[in-house]
Amino acid sequence: MAGLVNDWAAERRVFDMPWGKTMMWLFILSDVFIFACFLVGYMVLRISTVEPWPDASEVFALTVGGQSIPLLLIAIMTFILISSSGTMALAVKYGYAKDRRKTAALLLVTALLGAVFVGMQAFEWSILIGEGVRPWENPWGAAQFGAVFFLITGFHGTHVTIGVIFIVIMAVKVMRGSLEGSRPGFLTGRKGNYGMIESLGLYWHFVDLVWVFIFAFFYLW
Protein backbone atom coordinates (compact mmCIF):
# COMPACT_ATOMS: atom_id res chain seq x y z
CA MET A 1 0.00 0.00 0.00
CA ALA A 2 2.85 2.39 0.84
CA GLY A 3 4.45 1.69 -2.54
CA LEU A 4 1.15 2.30 -4.33
CA VAL A 5 0.70 5.63 -2.56
CA ASN A 6 4.26 6.68 -3.40
CA ASP A 7 3.82 5.73 -7.04
CA TRP A 8 0.63 7.74 -7.45
CA ALA A 9 1.95 10.66 -5.41
CA ALA A 10 5.17 10.93 -7.41
CA GLU A 11 3.75 10.25 -10.89
CA ARG A 12 2.68 13.31 -12.85
CA ARG A 13 0.70 11.34 -15.42
CA VAL A 14 -2.24 8.98 -15.02
CA PHE A 15 -3.72 6.83 -17.77
CA ASP A 16 -1.11 8.36 -20.10
CA MET A 17 -2.54 11.83 -19.41
CA PRO A 18 -1.13 14.76 -17.35
CA TRP A 19 -2.61 15.09 -13.89
CA GLY A 20 -3.91 18.58 -14.58
CA LYS A 21 -5.82 17.42 -17.64
CA THR A 22 -7.19 14.39 -15.79
CA MET A 23 -8.47 16.51 -12.93
CA MET A 24 -10.05 18.97 -15.37
CA TRP A 25 -11.95 16.11 -17.01
CA LEU A 26 -13.15 14.96 -13.58
CA PHE A 27 -14.28 18.47 -12.75
CA ILE A 28 -16.12 18.75 -16.06
CA LEU A 29 -17.81 15.41 -15.42
CA SER A 30 -19.04 16.59 -12.04
CA ASP A 31 -20.30 19.83 -13.58
CA VAL A 32 -22.13 17.86 -16.29
CA PHE A 33 -24.23 16.22 -13.58
CA ILE A 34 -25.07 19.59 -12.01
CA PHE A 35 -26.15 21.21 -15.26
CA ALA A 36 -28.03 18.05 -16.25
CA CYS A 37 -29.96 18.15 -12.97
CA PHE A 38 -30.83 21.81 -13.56
CA LEU A 39 -32.04 21.23 -17.12
CA VAL A 40 -33.98 18.05 -16.27
CA GLY A 41 -35.55 19.85 -13.31
CA TYR A 42 -36.49 22.72 -15.61
CA MET A 43 -38.13 20.36 -18.10
CA VAL A 44 -40.08 18.54 -15.37
CA LEU A 45 -41.19 21.84 -13.88
CA ARG A 46 -42.31 23.22 -17.21
CA ILE A 47 -44.24 20.09 -18.16
CA SER A 48 -45.95 19.79 -14.78
CA THR A 49 -46.94 23.43 -14.24
CA VAL A 50 -50.63 24.19 -14.73
CA GLU A 51 -50.07 27.86 -15.59
CA PRO A 52 -49.08 28.91 -19.11
CA TRP A 53 -45.32 29.08 -19.67
CA PRO A 54 -44.04 32.38 -21.12
CA ASP A 55 -43.28 32.39 -24.86
CA ALA A 56 -39.50 32.78 -25.17
CA SER A 57 -39.76 34.43 -28.59
CA GLU A 58 -41.77 37.23 -26.98
CA VAL A 59 -40.02 37.45 -23.61
CA PHE A 60 -36.54 37.60 -25.12
CA ALA A 61 -37.37 39.77 -28.11
CA LEU A 62 -35.24 42.85 -28.74
CA THR A 63 -36.70 46.02 -30.21
CA VAL A 64 -34.60 47.48 -33.02
CA GLY A 65 -35.83 50.38 -35.12
CA GLY A 66 -39.30 50.01 -33.70
CA GLN A 67 -39.45 46.33 -34.69
CA SER A 68 -39.52 43.49 -32.16
CA ILE A 69 -37.05 40.80 -33.25
CA PRO A 70 -37.38 37.47 -31.39
CA LEU A 71 -34.26 36.11 -29.68
CA LEU A 72 -31.95 38.62 -31.40
CA LEU A 73 -29.89 39.34 -28.29
CA ILE A 74 -29.66 35.62 -27.44
CA ALA A 75 -28.53 34.78 -30.97
CA ILE A 76 -25.76 37.40 -30.80
CA MET A 77 -24.67 36.13 -27.38
CA THR A 78 -24.55 32.56 -28.68
CA PHE A 79 -22.52 33.57 -31.73
CA ILE A 80 -20.02 35.43 -29.55
CA LEU A 81 -19.56 32.55 -27.12
CA ILE A 82 -19.22 29.92 -29.84
CA SER A 83 -16.68 32.13 -31.63
CA SER A 84 -14.63 32.27 -28.44
CA SER A 85 -14.23 28.49 -28.65
CA GLY A 86 -12.43 28.97 -31.96
CA THR A 87 -10.01 31.54 -30.54
CA MET A 88 -9.36 29.30 -27.54
CA ALA A 89 -8.61 26.33 -29.80
CA LEU A 90 -6.12 28.48 -31.72
CA ALA A 91 -4.56 29.61 -28.43
CA VAL A 92 -3.96 25.97 -27.49
CA LYS A 93 -2.46 25.30 -30.93
CA TYR A 94 -0.02 28.21 -30.77
CA GLY A 95 0.67 27.43 -27.12
CA TYR A 96 2.07 24.03 -27.98
CA ALA A 97 4.01 25.72 -30.80
CA LYS A 98 5.41 28.05 -28.06
CA ASP A 99 4.42 31.16 -29.96
CA ARG A 100 3.98 33.41 -26.96
CA ARG A 101 2.70 36.47 -28.82
CA LYS A 102 -0.09 34.71 -30.72
CA THR A 103 -1.02 32.56 -27.73
CA ALA A 104 -1.37 35.54 -25.41
CA ALA A 105 -3.27 37.57 -28.03
CA LEU A 106 -5.74 34.76 -28.68
CA LEU A 107 -6.26 34.20 -24.96
CA LEU A 108 -7.03 37.88 -24.50
CA VAL A 109 -9.46 37.83 -27.44
CA THR A 110 -11.16 34.80 -25.89
CA ALA A 111 -11.42 36.59 -22.54
CA LEU A 112 -12.81 39.68 -24.26
CA LEU A 113 -15.49 37.65 -26.05
CA GLY A 114 -16.38 35.96 -22.77
CA ALA A 115 -16.61 39.32 -21.00
CA VAL A 116 -18.86 40.67 -23.76
CA PHE A 117 -21.10 37.62 -23.35
CA VAL A 118 -21.39 38.19 -19.60
CA GLY A 119 -22.09 41.88 -20.18
CA MET A 120 -24.88 41.07 -22.62
CA GLN A 121 -26.28 38.55 -20.17
CA ALA A 122 -26.32 41.25 -17.48
CA PHE A 123 -28.13 43.53 -19.95
CA GLU A 124 -30.69 40.77 -20.55
CA TRP A 125 -31.19 40.38 -16.81
CA SER A 126 -31.68 44.13 -16.36
CA ILE A 127 -34.37 44.18 -19.06
CA LEU A 128 -36.32 41.29 -17.52
CA ILE A 129 -35.98 42.66 -13.99
CA GLY A 130 -37.25 46.01 -15.25
CA GLU A 131 -40.27 44.25 -16.77
CA GLY A 132 -41.13 42.64 -13.44
CA VAL A 133 -39.49 39.21 -13.61
CA ARG A 134 -38.54 37.91 -10.17
CA PRO A 135 -37.53 34.46 -8.86
CA TRP A 136 -41.04 34.13 -7.45
CA GLU A 137 -43.14 35.79 -10.18
CA ASN A 138 -43.29 37.14 -13.72
CA PRO A 139 -45.93 39.09 -15.66
CA TRP A 140 -46.38 36.48 -18.42
CA GLY A 141 -47.58 33.34 -16.65
CA ALA A 142 -45.94 30.61 -14.54
CA ALA A 143 -44.25 32.06 -11.49
CA GLN A 144 -41.48 29.44 -11.64
CA PHE A 145 -40.14 30.93 -14.88
CA GLY A 146 -38.08 33.59 -13.10
CA ALA A 147 -36.58 31.12 -10.64
CA VAL A 148 -35.30 28.67 -13.26
CA PHE A 149 -34.17 31.48 -15.57
CA PHE A 150 -32.02 33.24 -12.96
CA LEU A 151 -30.72 29.94 -11.56
CA ILE A 152 -29.64 28.35 -14.85
CA THR A 153 -28.33 31.44 -16.66
CA GLY A 154 -26.77 32.78 -13.46
CA PHE A 155 -24.94 29.54 -12.76
CA HIS A 156 -23.66 29.43 -16.34
CA GLY A 157 -22.71 33.11 -16.26
CA THR A 158 -20.68 32.47 -13.12
CA HIS A 159 -18.76 29.75 -14.96
CA VAL A 160 -18.05 32.12 -17.85
CA THR A 161 -16.89 34.86 -15.46
CA ILE A 162 -14.52 32.49 -13.66
CA GLY A 163 -13.21 31.29 -17.02
CA VAL A 164 -12.55 34.86 -18.15
CA ILE A 165 -10.56 35.58 -14.99
CA PHE A 166 -8.39 32.49 -15.37
CA ILE A 167 -7.85 33.11 -19.09
CA VAL A 168 -6.61 36.64 -18.37
CA ILE A 169 -4.27 35.29 -15.69
CA MET A 170 -2.94 32.69 -18.11
CA ALA A 171 -2.47 35.31 -20.85
CA VAL A 172 -0.39 37.45 -18.50
CA LYS A 173 1.75 34.48 -17.53
CA VAL A 174 2.29 33.56 -21.19
CA MET A 175 3.38 37.12 -21.99
CA ARG A 176 5.77 37.11 -19.03
CA GLY A 177 7.28 33.83 -20.15
CA SER A 178 6.33 32.08 -16.92
CA LEU A 179 5.48 28.85 -18.74
CA GLU A 180 8.91 28.71 -20.35
CA GLY A 181 11.03 29.96 -17.49
CA SER A 182 9.44 27.76 -14.82
CA ARG A 183 8.66 30.78 -12.67
CA PRO A 184 6.86 29.59 -9.53
CA GLY A 185 3.43 30.96 -8.87
CA PHE A 186 -0.28 30.54 -9.42
CA LEU A 187 -0.99 28.08 -12.28
CA THR A 188 2.70 27.70 -13.10
CA GLY A 189 5.31 25.40 -11.73
CA ARG A 190 7.07 23.46 -14.47
CA LYS A 191 9.07 24.62 -17.45
CA GLY A 192 7.29 24.45 -20.80
CA ASN A 193 4.01 23.35 -19.24
CA TYR A 194 1.79 24.72 -22.00
CA GLY A 195 -0.57 21.81 -21.34
CA MET A 196 -2.24 24.04 -18.75
CA ILE A 197 -3.63 26.11 -21.61
CA GLU A 198 -5.22 22.98 -23.04
CA SER A 199 -6.80 22.16 -19.67
CA LEU A 200 -8.17 25.69 -19.50
CA GLY A 201 -9.41 25.25 -23.05
CA LEU A 202 -11.30 22.10 -22.06
CA TYR A 203 -13.11 24.08 -19.39
CA TRP A 204 -13.96 26.85 -21.84
CA HIS A 205 -15.25 24.46 -24.51
CA PHE A 206 -17.39 22.78 -21.87
CA VAL A 207 -18.91 26.13 -20.85
CA ASP A 208 -19.67 26.88 -24.50
CA LEU A 209 -21.23 23.45 -25.03
CA VAL A 210 -23.45 23.84 -21.97
CA TRP A 211 -24.74 27.12 -23.36
CA VAL A 212 -25.82 25.31 -26.54
CA PHE A 213 -28.02 23.04 -24.43
CA ILE A 214 -29.37 26.00 -22.42
CA PHE A 215 -30.11 27.83 -25.66
CA ALA A 216 -31.93 24.81 -27.10
CA PHE A 217 -33.95 23.86 -24.02
CA PHE A 218 -34.67 27.26 -22.50
CA TYR A 219 -34.87 29.70 -25.41
CA LEU A 220 -35.99 27.56 -28.35
CA TRP A 221 -38.43 25.24 -26.56
Side-chain angles (χ1 to χ4, degrees):
M1 180 60 69
L4 179 63
V5 171
N6 290 333
D7 289 341
W8 277 74
E11 183 58 63
R12 294 187 178 274
R13 302 178 69 87
V14 58
F15 304 123
D16 197 29
M17 184 183 297
W19 271 105
K21 191 174 180 180
T22 302
M23 298 309 296
M24 180 57 71
W25 275 115
L26 291 175
F27 170 78
I28 289 174
L29 181 61
S30 66
D31 237 18
V32 165
F33 289 121
I34 296 175
F35 277 107
C37 288
F38 284 167
L39 291 175
V40 170
Y42 158 72
M43 289 186 288
V44 172
L45 179 65
R46 180 169 176 175
I47 293 172
S48 61
T49 183
V50 295
E51 298 182 41
W53 198 263
D55 186 351
S57 62
E58 297 178 2
V59 174
F60 301 105
L62 190 65
T63 302
V64 179
Q67 297 292 327
S68 180
I69 304 178
L71 301 176
L72 176 61
L73 181 63
I74 310 304
I76 296 174
M77 292 168 56
T78 303
F79 175 78
I80 290 174
L81 195 61
I82 297 302
S83 298
S84 69
S85 269
T87 57
M88 174 57 86
L90 289 174
V92 174
K93 174 182 179 296
Y94 286 110
Y96 277 118
K98 297 188 177 181
D99 189 330
R100 287 168 50 188
R101 180 175 298 180
K102 290 182 179 179
T103 302
L106 287 165
L107 286 172
L108 290 176
V109 170
T110 303
L112 177 61
L113 293 173
V116 171
F117 173 87
V118 173
M120 296 180 73
Q121 193 171 61
F123 174 69
E124 177 192 32
W125 275 38
S126 66
I127 292 177
L128 293 182
I129 291 174
E131 293 178 347
V133 179
R134 300 291 186 272
W136 52 87
E137 65 178 355
N138 80 88
W140 301 292
Q144 300 93 332
F145 171 81
V148 294
F149 170 75
F150 290 124
L151 173 64
I152 294 175
T153 60
F155 191 64
H156 179 266
T158 302
H159 278 69
V160 176
T161 302
I162 293 173
V164 168
I165 294 172
F166 275 87
I167 289 172
V168 171
I169 293 174
M170 186 62 69
V172 172
K173 288 185 173 292
V174 170
M175 288 187 291
R176 289 171 48 189
S178 300
L179 302 187
E180 296 180 6
S182 189
R183 296 179 60 175
F186 186 56
L187 291 180
T188 54
R190 288 188 294 148
K191 185 175 180 179
N193 191 16
Y194 279 90
M196 291 184 295
I197 301 178
E198 183 182 5
S199 297
L200 189 56
L202 290 174
Y203 172 85
W204 193 253
H205 295 318
F206 164 73
V207 170
D208 292 356
L209 181 61
V210 167
W211 177 255
V212 172
F213 283 93
I214 294 175
F215 178 77
F217 284 93
F218 201 91
Y219 294 100
L220 296 183
W221 182 14

